[in-house]
Amino acid sequence: MQLNSIKISAIAALAVFLVGTGAAGDISGAGATFPYPIYAKWADAYKKLTNVGMNYQSIGSGGGIKQIKAKTVTFGASDMPLKPDDLKSAGLLQFPMIIGGVVPVVNIVGVKPGQLHLDGAIIASIYLGEITQWDDPKIKALNPKLTLPNTAIAPVYRSDGSGTNFLFSDYLSKVSPNFQSKIGANASVQWPTGIGAKGNEGVANMTKQTDGAMGYVEYAYAKQNNMAFVTLTNKEGKTITPSTESFQAAAANADWATADSYYLILTNQAGAKSWPITGASFILLYKQPEDPVPVGEALKFFAWAYKDGATMAAALDYVPLPAALVTQVKKTWGSEITANGHPIWK
Amino acid sequence: MAIIDPRHAATQLIYERVFRTATLGAAILVLLILGGVAISLVRGAWPAMAHFGFGFVTHEVWNPVTDEFGALAPIYGTVVTSVIAMAIAVPVGFGIALFLTELCPPLLKRPIGVAVELLAAVPSIIFGIWGLFVLAPILQKHVQPWLIKHIGHIPGIGGIFHGPPFGIGILTAGLVLAIMVLPFIAATMRDVFDTVPPMLKESGYGLGATTWEVIWNVVVPHSRVGIVGGIMLGLGRALGETMAVTFVIGNAHRVSASLLAPGTTISSSIANEFTEAVGDLYTSSLIALGLLLFLITFTVIAIAQAMLRRLERQAANT
């Protein structure tokens, strides 16, 4: 019945309502679901410290962009950076807030975490349905020491639109022209094969219970579920294990200094230690906000989170921004966000 | 009898008017809400309908990257999962209702009745999680391999049990839906069977009819309308169920002859993609899916009403 679609819009409306009616002085934000756990944790700690609350509604990146454009929230959050032109026409500023990594995981009898090694081209072929067996010569060539069974590969993908999907499909598009022309990069794409599971937990579970399955999840899920993650060949040909260090390496090696409006996707970055499927989650703010007070409060919150939120982020397996990048972001705040010609951030 | 006090009568009249207006308002409110939903759905769906035209319902492609959208796969999935659910839940629900009203020992009547009602109260997300963690692995390891091995090779019907056993897919979604709609169908039918006047049944028994004959010739004909109503209630829920289906259907925008293959339904597509849908055409296509579901449900209810009217006419003629 139509009830369910009504339910969805009702929830969305309620979420927006709740965001809009936060207590005076509170910061309101809406958007990406991927950083929600850490934003919520930061908000809780910050409230205890300063008595300033931060209401964040994880309604999805698309919803976050819509809400900030409708000016119902102080800031929006998106897992995909907006293009510089879109930002300019909307009068928005974006900057990265937190980093995460996507990790391919497998379920092959006898293969332990970190044992299987793959490269982007092979993963693209698996998700295109071109490589269908685990004992394919191409996979064997990369794993001469492993005995791979003659099991069919069951590719598992995220069915719900997500930043995880975007990073994964963006990476595969960068390394495989075939993948780019047939599928492309987006928060939801049309997979030609495999099964769709809802959320990280769905993909993790589906992969665990299907013999021969391959999936991709956020790092925290692979780690906490002790799943058989895959090591990858990065842009410089090095074999990389997914870890906080390798995600941070990708962020540090990225050329943020020259990137217009921080429009930078961290997949397939250069650097000997960079994990190739890394991504940042972004914050969107108005450059000339109508009401500068909450924006000032939000900037204080973000500055605090950069400085004191790192351990909390690490505890949830998120990766804090490299120090140099934080300095650059703060400089951008000072020069770009103004009220009546005066910078809000000093 | 006391003489009616005219003042009392006057206040009564006012009360009556107020009450009448209030109930009228409530009734009109339903129409307004329904109209509002329809209008906002059409408005939201308009960009997609204008762009894709009728091809929206006949194309299988659902590609957010290239902004090409077709609703065939979700429509197919919605219809097929609902058909599977009804094929299982209607006979079983009918059986439960008959057993409870006609055959059940009085001692068991209450426990089973309460159990059926409790089953109806279980939130759909619980069915989804149960389907994914409990039912899907059982189907994957034991049921689906058997189906593929023994039925999968028979020409003709073999095609519906073809392909790898994922555990989740159209069939699993249909089974979970069947369990979810079963209590609605069973409870409605039981209530209807209970309204059959005992005198009618006892007359049947008095004439020497067996229990079977009383059920088929007295109970069922007397409650035809209610039976159809119960089925429609269940079908309505099956068509629109979102969360449980999303967990177990595999969420693939593909039309596949095999029931073991992953598919998608209208409501689960919306639930999956609405939050992260960026771009007007994409959002509009998702709303257009909602409009289609609205139309499908509307059609189902219209058919049900027509059937009920025919049944009532038949009943009046006999």
Side-chain angles (χ1 to χ4, degrees):
Chain A
M1 249 190 283
Q2 71 279 13
L3 260 181
N4 288 295
S5 46
I6 298 173
K7 250 186 238 168
I8 292 166
S9 35
I11 290 166
L14 185 68
V16 171
F17 175 74
L18 290 173
V19 168
T21 54
D26 280 4
I27 309 156
S28 61
T33 45
F34 160 69
Y36 172 68
I38 184 61
Y39 289 179
K41 194 164 183 176
W42 281 341
D44 193 41
Y46 193 68
K47 173 100 184 172
K48 278 180 193 142
L49 201 73
T50 62
N51 211 25
V52 175
M54 197 279 274
N55 291 311
Y56 182 74
Q57 298 296 327
S58 59
I59 55 175
S61 299
I65 295 167
K66 277 182 202 122
Q67 293 310 325
I68 185 73
K69 283 187 176 166
K71 300 186 181 173
T72 52
V73 289
T74 313
F75 70 89
S78 173
D79 283 337
M80 285 172 268
L82 265 68
K83 293 207 173 70
D85 288 347
D86 293 344
L87 290 166
K88 269 179 204 110
S89 64
L92 288 167
L93 173 84
Q94 81 181 351
F95 55 88
M97 192 66 219
I98 192 85
I99 294 162
V102 178
V103 178
V105 288
V106 293
N107 176 2
I108 312 167
V109 177
V111 173
K112 293 189 181 66
Q115 281 189 335
L116 188 72
H117 179 69
L118 295 173
D119 63 23
I122 291 178
I123 297 178
S125 299
I126 289 174
Y127 276 89
L128 284 167
E130 292 163 2
I131 293 179
T132 56
Q133 297 286 332
W134 280 116
D135 58 354
D136 189 277
K138 281 185 187 161
I139 302 177
K140 272 182 164 172
L142 279 182
N143 299 278
K145 285 178 194 160
L146 272 183
T147 38
L148 289 160
N150 178 26
T151 316
I153 304 175
V156 181
Y157 55 84
R158 271 286 284 274
S159 62
D160 47 330
S162 66
T164 310
N165 265 345
F166 172 70
L167 292 178
F168 191 67
S169 57
D170 183 74
Y171 168 61
L172 295 183
S173 294
K174 277 182 182 163
V175 293
S176 159
N178 204 5
F179 189 92
Q180 184 169 30
S181 64
K182 283 187 182 155
I183 297 176
N186 207 320
S188 304
V189 298
Q190 189 174 34
W191 301 101
T193 179
I195 27 177
K198 186 165 165 50
N200 278 298
E201 63 284 357
V203 174
N205 183 63
M206 202 61 224
T207 309
K208 275 200 286 190
Q209 72 185 32
T210 311
D211 187 27
M214 166 165 196
Y216 53 93
V217 291
E218 278 159 30
Y219 176 57
Y221 282 84
K223 197 179 162 196
Q224 285 155 17
N225 290 316
N226 199 23
M227 300 186 76
F229 63 83
V230 172
T231 59
L232 288 175
T233 308
N234 73 2
K235 200 177 184 181
E236 304 200 351
K238 300 280 194 301
T239 300
I240 305 293
T241 303
S243 68
T244 307
E245 293 73 39
S246 57
F247 302 150
Q248 205 155 22
N253 286 322
D255 190 11
W256 293 102
T258 58
D260 184 10
S261 311
Y262 295 97
Y263 182 76
L264 199 57
I265 298 156
L266 295 178
T267 54
N268 208 29
Q269 284 296 332
K273 288 180 177 166
S274 302
W275 176 253
I277 325 177
T278 307
S281 199
F282 294 83
I283 299 287
L284 300 164
L285 282 172
Y286 276 103
K287 285 184 179 173
Q288 275 125 22
E290 284 163 12
D291 184 2
V293 180
V295 173
E297 289 295 330
L299 290 176
K300 273 187 216 158
F301 169 77
F302 295 138
W304 170 85
Y306 281 140
K307 189 165 152 279
D308 295 334
T311 28
M312 279 177 253
L316 292 175
D317 292 308
Y318 288 92
V319 184
L321 257 52
L325 183 54
V326 171
T327 316
Q328 194 195 335
V329 167
K330 284 184 180 165
K331 225 171 106 189
T332 313
W333 293 350
S335 60
E336 302 251 357
I337 304 178
T338 55
N340 303 323
H342 300 290
I344 295 174
W345 176 255
K346 284 159 200 145
Chain B
M1 227 192 243
I3 298 164
I4 298 167
D5 179 357
R7 272 180 309 175
H8 178 72
T11 48
Q12 278 301 316
L13 207 64
I14 294 170
Y15 284 156
E16 201 161 288
R17 280 211 187 115
V18 170
F19 188 69
R20 186 195 296 252
T21 321
T23 49
L24 177 73
I28 288 175
L29 191 67
V30 173
L31 285 180
L32 285 178
I33 292 173
L34 193 68
V37 168
I39 290 169
S40 53
L41 275 177
V42 170
R43 270 184 57 181
W46 188 250
M49 293 196 297
H51 190 271
F52 297 111
F54 190 69
F56 186 70
V57 290
T58 55
H59 283 157
E60 192 188 336
V61 185
W62 184 271
N63 193 336
V65 181
T66 56
D67 259 354
E68 282 171 82
F69 301 101
L72 189 64
I75 293 172
Y76 173 81
T78 305
V79 172
V80 173
T81 50
S82 297
V83 167
I84 296 172
M86 299 318 284
I88 297 166
V90 169
V92 177
F94 185 73
I96 292 173
L98 272 184
F99 179 75
L100 283 177
T101 50
E102 307 301 325
L103 308 166
C104 186
L107 204 65
L108 274 178
K109 204 167 175 172
R110 268 189 70 83
I112 296 179
V114 170
V116 168
E117 273 152 26
L118 278 179
L119 198 59
V122 175
S124 65
I125 188 95
I126 305 292
F127 282 107
I129 293 171
W130 173 82
L132 181 64
F133 286 94
V134 182
L135 184 66
I138 294 173
L139 289 174
Q140 185 182 21
K141 289 197 185 81
H142 306 293
V143 181
Q144 294 185 347
W146 187 90
L147 288 172
I148 294 164
K149 200 170 161 218
H150 292 93
I151 307 178
H153 300 294
I154 302 169
I157 61 161
I160 60 171
F161 296 117
H162 201 71
F166 284 129
I168 60 177
I170 299 256
L171 179 69
T172 315
L175 291 176
V176 170
L177 276 180
I179 298 167
M180 293 181 71
V181 300
L182 181 63
F184 288 88
I185 295 175
T188 318
M189 288 192 186
R190 181 198 57 186
D191 292 346
V192 184
F193 293 157
D194 265 339
T195 62
V196 178
M199 213 212 291
L200 282 182
K201 286 192 270 182
E202 267 151 37
S203 314
Y205 287 121
L207 287 168
T210 60
T211 312
W212 175 262
E213 284 165 339
V214 168
I215 288 172
W216 285 106
N217 298 322
V218 179
V219 176
V220 172
H222 190 273
S223 26
R224 278 188 296 208
V225 175
I227 294 172
V228 174
I231 294 173
M232 287 306 147
L233 192 68
L235 184 57
R237 181 158 193 207
L239 284 171
E241 176 48 43
T242 310
M243 231 47 227
V245 172
T246 309
F247 270 73
V248 295
I249 198 165
N251 304 300
H253 279 277
R254 294 192 287 268
V255 175
S256 172
S258 172
L259 295 181
L260 306 183
T264 188
T265 67
I266 292 176
S267 53
S268 66
S269 294
I270 298 173
N272 266 322
E273 296 175 30
F274 201 78
T275 47
E276 297 282 339
V278 184
D280 292 338
L281 201 57
Y282 192 4
T283 335
S284 170
S285 298
L286 287 167
I287 297 172
L289 279 185
L291 180 66
L292 282 174
L293 187 57
F294 190 84
L295 292 176
I296 292 173
T297 319
F298 193 82
T299 315
V300 165
I301 291 172
I303 293 171
Q305 291 286 348
M307 270 172 73
L308 286 178
R309 224 165 290 147
R310 244 187 67 199
L311 283 173
E312 273 163 11
R313 259 207 310 276
Q314 275 176 4
N317 290 341
T318 46

